[in-house]
Structures are given as C-alpha cells and as structure tokens.
Amino acid sequence: MMGKSLAEKKGLKKLKTRETIKTVKQPIKRPFNDKPEMTKAAKKPRKKSDDKVANDSLLTSGHSLKELSNSVNQEEDIFREPSVFDNLLKALGSGSEKLATLYKKRQLEQEGRSDSEEDKIATFESASLSEEEDVGTGGCESSLGDAEEDDLGEHGPADMLEQTEEDETGDEDGNSDAGDSQDLEISGQTILDEPESTRFSFHRHLGHILTNEEVDELMKNKWKFKWELPAISMPVSRWAGTGDQVSMETNSDQNYGLMQKLYNHWLDIYKTSGFSDFDTSRQRFFFSLCSSYRDILHCNKKPFYLKGNEEDSSIMDAYIMHALNHVYKTRDLVIKSDAKLAKHQEGNKEEVLRGGTFLDQGFTRPKVMFILPLGSIALRVVKRLIQLTPISNKANVEHMDRFSEEFGTGDVEDDDEQKDGSSKSQKPAKPADFQILFGGNNNDHFMLGIKFTKRSIKLYSDFYSSDIIVASPLGLITKIGEAEVEKEKDVDYLSSIEVLIIDHADVITMQNWSHVNTLVEQLNRMPFNQHGTDVMRIRPWYLDGHAHFYRQTILLGSFLNPDMNALFNRLCVNHAGKVKSMTEYKGVLPKILLEVRQVYERFDAPSIAEADDARLDYFCKKVFPKIKDSIEGGIMLFISSYFEFVRIRNFLKSQNASFCLLGEYTKQSDISRARVWFFEGKRKIMLYTERAHFYHRYKIRGIQNLIIYSLPERKEFYPEIINMLDGSKNMMCNVLFSRFDHLRLERIVGTSAAKRMLSSDKNIFVFT
C-alpha cells in the first residue's frame, strides 16, 4: 500500500468511490440493471457551501457530515455521490436484510464512522427516518426479490467455475505464478511499479477506474497516433500507436506478461519447431502488442492461403497465447478469491466483500471471442489453441471427435472444368490460393463455446459456462436475431467479452461486413437477466456501463478498407489506446503477363457519400456512349460491389443494351448460359462482380475490351482479370477511380504512384 493519508492516521478510513458517467440512461425493464433514481437533492448541482453538509437523503443513516466536522475539521470534505455499486447495494438491500445491513456498514465506512459511533446517533437516525421515507428511493426496490437473495455471495453457474472440477487453487504449478498471486495481494503497489512499456497489463488494465473526464474524452473518438516503430520481418511496414510507445526491448525474465506455465509450454513448442530466436521473433513482438491491451488494427497480414503460412501462423500463435493468458489469469483470480472467501465464516462474508477486494468478475463468464469467416479456419484456430494449452490443462479434450467431424475437411466441390470431363489429375484450373482457402470446410454459419477447467478442455460447452466463444459473423447474427424475436432467449453471454479477435477480416468483407458492425455493437451491453452472477463481485466499470471502454479489439486481415477503418475508429474505444500497422505498397502491375495498355481515368467526387453517384454519372456520360454502338462486343465490366452491380444492371436495362450477368447471386444454370452467350457474341456486355470471382474464380473467355468500373479490394485479383485479355485484339483496359479509392489504388499501382495520381492536375494516366 502507498503511504497513509492524514485521515487514515487519525483513524478514518479512506473513501473508496467510483466516478460515474455524467449522463445516466433511464433504466429499462432489466431486473439485473435496476438502479434507484436520484433524489431531487442529489440531482441539484453541488455548490461550495454544500460541500460541508451532505444531503440526508444520500445517507442511509440520515446523519449529516456536519455533525462530524469537529473530528475532521482539518481534513478536506470526503463526501462524494454514491457509486452505481452503492446504488445497486441499496436497491438489492430493500429485499434482503443482509444486504441492507451490508449497505449500512458500507456507508458508515465511507463516512469514517465505526459501529460504536453509529450506536450513539441511533436516536438521530430514528428521527430522520421518516423524513427519508418522504423523499423516497425512486423505485430502488430490487426486482431480484427474495427468491434470488440467497444466491448473493455464492458462485453463480454462469460466471463461476464448477466446484466439482476446480475446488483446488491450482497449486500444481507451484511457485510458477507467484507473481500473479503477489499482484492480487498488493495489486496497487505492484501495478505502480510496472515499467511504462508494460503498464497496461492484465491487472492494471482491468483494475483502472475511469474518471468522468476520461470517459468524455473516449467518447469523442479522437485519437492521436504519436509514435512509430518498424515492424519485425516486414521491411515496408511500421507500427503507429497512441499513448506511450510500446517497448521493443526483450524482458524474458518477466515472461512478457505470460503466466509461467504458458510461457514454458510456448517456448518448448517454438524450439521444437526448429526456431531459437524467440525473443526477437515476430510472434513474440505481436504478443507484446496484444498484452498491452490496446486495440490493434493489422491489415497487412499475409494470409496462409497466399504463401504466407509462416507469418499468418506467427500472428495466430500470438493472439491465441494472449487469449489463453487472459482466460487463465481470470480463472486464477476467481479461484484465489474463492479460496480466501472460503476461509471466512458465512456470517462475515458480507463484511469481507464490502472492502471491494474481491471485485473480479463480469456479468457472465465468457471473456474472449474469436470471429472467423469459415469452418476450415475455425478448425485451424481451435486445433492450434488446444496445442498451445499446457499439457497439464488438457488431459481430456471433450467432444473432439464431434468437432473434427463438423469442422473437418470435406470433399472439394468439383469445378466447372472437371464437370466438363477433364481429369482431376490434370493441372487444376483454380489458383492455388483458392484451393487452399476453399479446399476445406466452407461453412460460414457456426458458433462454438469452449470451456477450460483445471485439467480439461470442453468443446461445445454452454455459452454461459464457456470461457471462449468461436463464431462466424452469420452464426452470431442468427443468435442475436433469435433473441430479438423469442423472449425466452437472450445473448447476455456477450455482455462481458473483454478480448475480441477478428481474424481474416478480408474474407469476411466478401461475406457481409454489416454483420460485423452489428455484432460489435451488441457486445458489452447490460444483460437482461442475472444468470446466477454474484453481484457482490462484479467489477465496478461493468455496473457503470463502461465495459466497452475495457474491451480489447484485435482486427486482422490482408488488406484495409473504409469499413474496417470505420469500425476501428468508431466502435473500438479501449481506454488503453490503439496500435495500427502502416504499409507502403509496391503494387502488382509486374504480375501482369500481357502487354496491356491500362488507362486510368480519374473522376471528381465532392465527398465519399457522393462518390458512388459520381462514378455512375461518369460512366453514363463518358464511358457508355463509346461502347453502346459497339458491333464487335466482348466488353466485360468488372464491378467491385453488389450495390454498384445493381445500379449498372438497371442502367443497362433502361438503355436496352445487350448484356448478361455473372454475380454472386446468379444461379449456376444462368452463369453457364451467360458465359456461352458472351463467348459466342450473343451478348455484347458482361457484368462480373468481385465476390463472384472470389467464390468461383471463373476464367471468362471472349473478352475484347475490359472496363474496370471499380478497382477490386483484393490486389491479387487485378492481374488475374487483366490476364483474361489473352487472345484479345484490343489489349486495352480502362479503369475508373477517384480520390476516395486511395486504399485500393495504392495496393495495385503502388503507394508512390497512387500519391502522384491523386495529386496530379491530370486526370488520365497510362500504364503499359
């Protein structure tokens, strides 16, 4: 503990309060979140003259601080408005004699009075009681009722570990995690002694209580990236971050914040793989970024299916170890608190809890969530998670056979060329990255709970008893939709997610990114039901509605787009700050095998909201008149988004143009017919979308003129599309772009060329 204050030396205990948000939303019909309304006196702005005398309605005893002025006249007034936790205690106390007594004792402690002092003013308390009843508590009666009051102070099924499995405190690790135990005993001093580079560790990050000023600043969503660091093994990339700079120094003596058993196991696996430079490795550095508990945006990760298996696996190992570290530290914190509480008799447990030492839980148990696009990727992540779990903690992995069957590799769907009679032994018609990504389980609708116990891992555990939830965006959105329709269902297990990891975001953009926005907005909301939670041990910032300020979001992908940027800037408000990767691209033009004249035409757009309209207007007035009277045909329009696809389709219909469609929602029979019509010249124009190319990788024949209406998000698609001009007499491609296409443009032509093209006075640029 730090040095005692003058008040402590005089026998007065230091007031432990938590500041809440200035604007408190009106409670809805959620029994677990019912709060007493503030009295009229409490709502009035406090004046300097009011600091000496506290409003009687705010004190359960009705005793004013003015009567204590003789004993603390040399001290500053220690009165502060009751926290949400105090209000919750008061509300629950109306239905429980034990909690009412506890709330009363807590108030005495905050006023610096003992039980004996309370006896002396009993008469005054009785006299002021009638006045307090007249003021009223504004609906503070607990809706939990007598039926649930017996559960308070005991382990709830949702957020507590099962006693039959975890009645021991993990002593099999010996002194391996002594540091964590010390953190719990003297957490305040230990955290303050941490170096600046690691100050947002597990205990410090979750133990920090936000002030009103900090909350107001976070809600402004204004972030200043003050520092930059070179990215390990990525020569053209760098890291930029807010707040204090992340240290690149090695501190293996401190295990980089990992629990000892996790660190030893990870190091053994790393060395077994043939590596020996763990301290300077990419995965160690990325783990250090994760363990700083900042929000991370890393959208230049080379995926495993694009010859980036080593890089992708290193990043995956790092965030899995961070997730395991968070789960096991949370578990150990709860178990050690249970052990300490078990030493106290039932009668004085409430007295022990009132000190705030055991505030170690959220509303529900799940703390980590993985959002992944495909079943095959979920299989890859979960199998690696099991491998990285220490042997002593995975003596039994329940339901592994079921998991392997449901998420395992299925038969690869025959492609069109094989349906036409070609042999599978021949060179595959699809690119290698397509076969690797879609060669396994392509299910995009799944949700899986994983529970960790002392010696086992349980797959398919109930979500409320799980530590980690693995889900696809569609799978989770389905659950959210069901909860909105069916009253008996809810998604309260999303209320206490503290680490959110979204991997392969680039693949998710080819599904439906709006699902990601919806599910992130759903996280960290107040639950509808209690779910057996021990309310006496909930962290204060959960009760204050600040949980989203403590959630760490790690967003990973192979490219960055405005949707990802918007989510990172708008919905990621972690008080620890942000870190993002920044890259200079070389472009993919050298990968074009043909001598194609590529003409880039820049159009003006006043704002990003008007960019789509400006693009369509430019096409209708400048591009379409040149092709509508084409006799030869063979004109392919490549379009990035389905929204643009629909607009162009409607425009061509209005012009009675000869065209065919090849989009992501086009039926297979219509696709085959359209490809034949286009090749034979029966349809002069073909509309082809990026998502259709992503899921099918068709090689379109008969292209004579290529118009890229909007650049593809995935840079590797650009040379593939251009190379389809093989056999064309024209060998020319027209590309439309605006200044709002900067992210796509620099990935294709390179960062330097993109800057020149966007800042130049000219509007036409030619690459050959």
Side-chain angles (χ1 to χ4, degrees), residues 49 90 276 304 320 359 433 457 499 597 668 672 747 765:
S49 60
K90 189 173 182 180
S276 58
F304 67 93
I320 287 177
L359 300 178
D433 63 289
I457 300 174
V499 178
R597 180 181 172 86
Q668 185 61 47
S672 301
R747 290 195 290 267
F765 308 89

Side-chain angles (χ1 to χ4, degrees), residues 386-604:
I386 294 173
Q387 292 173 0
L388 291 174
T389 302
I391 298 176
S392 60
N393 296 102
K394 57 178 180 183
N396 180 33
V397 180
E398 299 182 32
H399 307 301
M400 189 62 193
D401 291 341
R402 175 186 171 187
F403 175 73
S404 298
E405 180 180 352
E406 294 186 5
F407 288 81
T409 304
D411 295 332
V412 180
E413 184 178 335
D414 293 337
D415 52 38
D416 296 340
E417 284 73 18
Q418 290 169 353
K419 290 179 180 179
D420 292 340
S422 63
S423 173
K424 290 186 179 182
S425 62
Q426 297 178 358
K427 183 179 179 180
K430 307 295 184 184
D433 63 289
F434 178 89
Q435 298 179 60
I436 296 173
L437 179 60
F438 293 108
N441 189 315
N442 299 330
N443 178 28
D444 63 352
H445 190 282
F446 58 86
M447 196 163 172
L448 173 72
I450 303 177
K451 177 181 179 179
F452 292 85
T453 64
K454 185 177 179 181
R455 294 188 177 88
S456 67
I457 300 174
K458 183 177 181 180
L459 306 179
Y460 295 97
S461 58
D462 177 76
F463 295 133
Y464 284 102
S465 63
S466 300
D467 297 292
I468 296 177
I469 294 177
V470 180
S472 66
L474 181 59
L476 189 51
I477 285 296
T478 301
K479 293 291 185 181
I480 293 173
E482 291 175 354
E484 292 176 350
V485 175
E486 304 177 38
K487 294 183 179 180
E488 65 275 9
K489 294 184 179 181
D490 60 58
V491 287
D492 290 347
Y493 46 78
L494 303 178
S495 63
S496 302
I497 298 297
E498 295 172 352
V499 178
L500 171 66
I501 301 172
I502 304 174
D503 199 1
H504 298 284
D506 52 290
V507 178
I508 297 177
T509 60
M510 295 292 111
Q511 297 173 338
N512 192 336
W513 186 259
S514 64
H515 290 340
V516 179
N517 290 328
T518 302
L519 68 88
V520 173
E521 290 173 347
Q522 192 72 31
L523 298 179
N524 305 120
R525 293 187 176 184
M526 286 289 183
F528 283 88
N529 302 298
Q530 184 183 358
H531 301 288
T533 307
D534 185 350
V535 297
M536 303 299 296
R537 293 173 64 176
I538 297 177
R539 294 186 185 273
W541 40 267
Y542 275 108
L543 300 172
D544 292 341
H546 292 172
H548 59 296
F549 294 128
Y550 291 79
R551 186 191 71 239
Q552 179 188 30
T553 303
I554 301 175
L555 183 59
L556 307 169
S558 65
F559 63 78
L560 179 65
N561 69 6
D563 291 332
M564 300 177 195
N565 251 337
L567 183 142
F568 189 69
N569 294 331
R570 185 173 62 89
L571 299 179
C572 300
V573 289
N574 186 350
H575 77 84
K578 296 174 181 282
V579 178
K580 66 179 180 180
S581 62
M582 304 174 67
T583 304
E584 292 188 6
Y585 295 91
K586 297 180 180 179
V588 295
L589 298 183
K591 295 185 178 181
I592 298 175
L593 305 178
L594 307 175
E595 293 185 4
V596 178
R597 180 181 172 86
Q598 304 159 60
V599 180
Y600 282 72
E601 303 178 33
R602 190 182 68 195
F603 62 90
D604 295 327

Side-chain angles (χ1 to χ4, degrees), residues 101-155:
T101 304
L102 176 58
Y103 176 70
K104 186 176 180 180
K105 289 182 179 180
R106 184 177 175 86
Q107 291 298 110
L108 291 174
E109 181 186 49
Q110 292 180 350
E111 296 172 32
R113 292 187 280 121
S114 62
D115 293 338
S116 60
E117 290 175 316
E118 172 66 9
D119 294 336
K120 295 179 182 180
I121 60 171
T123 305
F124 180 83
E125 179 185 29
S126 176
S128 61
L129 183 60
S130 58
E131 179 182 352
E132 182 177 325
E133 290 175 348
D134 291 339
V135 175
T137 56
C140 68
E141 184 174 351
S142 172
S143 59
L144 294 176
D146 297 333
E148 294 182 353
E149 67 174 311
D150 293 336
D151 293 334
L152 301 178
E154 298 180 1
H155 306 311

Side-chain angles (χ1 to χ4, degrees), residues 718-737:
Y718 184 80
E720 287 185 16
I721 299 298
I722 298 293
N723 289 332
M724 289 184 187
L725 283 169
D726 188 17
S728 171
K729 300 175 183 178
N730 195 3
M731 287 293 184
M732 183 174 174
C733 170
N734 295 82
V735 182
L736 309 186
F737 75 99

Side-chain angles (χ1 to χ4, degrees), residues 604-614 738-740:
D604 295 327
S607 66
I608 191 170
E610 300 174 272
D612 290 334
D613 292 336
S738 73
R739 61 191 178 98
F740 298 107

